[in-house]
Amino acid sequence: MTDSAYAGTLWVCERLGRKPDWFYRNKPKLIENGFPDKDPLTNLWIKADVDAWINARRSIRDTNEAPKPTTGANLNGL
């Protein structure tokens, strides 16, 4: 079921690079920090939500993203 949009705990653990015991111990803290909980209808995680959470935690953005100005200067006249 690699094409599925949903995943179980083992996939989530693999995606996080952690073992299930670590995941279950840290799940409350993860959810407190925005980690998605299981979809209530399927009782599985939505893979895209897990990946979005991981991407949101990145501290370095892809180089193809436009840089955000760090000052209040008007850059339109450059």
Side-chain angles (χ1 to χ4, degrees):
M1 288 222 263
T2 58
D3 292 337
S4 175
Y6 293 90
T9 303
L10 291 179
W11 180 89
V12 172
C13 292
E14 287 177 8
R15 199 70 170 158
L16 295 175
R18 299 293 187 158
K19 294 185 177 184
D21 63 325
W22 178 92
F23 177 73
Y24 286 119
R25 278 194 323 270
N26 290 280
K27 187 178 173 192
K29 186 176 180 180
L30 290 167
I31 291 173
E32 180 182 305
N33 283 278
F35 190 80
D37 207 353
K38 288 181 179 180
D39 175 70
L41 183 61
T42 62
N43 199 34
L44 295 168
W45 277 274
I46 299 172
K47 289 179 179 180
D49 288 350
V50 173
D51 286 341
W53 181 82
I54 292 168
N55 287 333
R57 296 196 48 83
R58 290 179 55 191
S59 58
I60 299 174
R61 299 290 168 213
D62 292 330
T63 57
N64 60 351
E65 289 185 19
K68 295 182 176 73
T70 56
T71 67
N74 182 358
L75 303 177
N76 292 329
L78 296 177

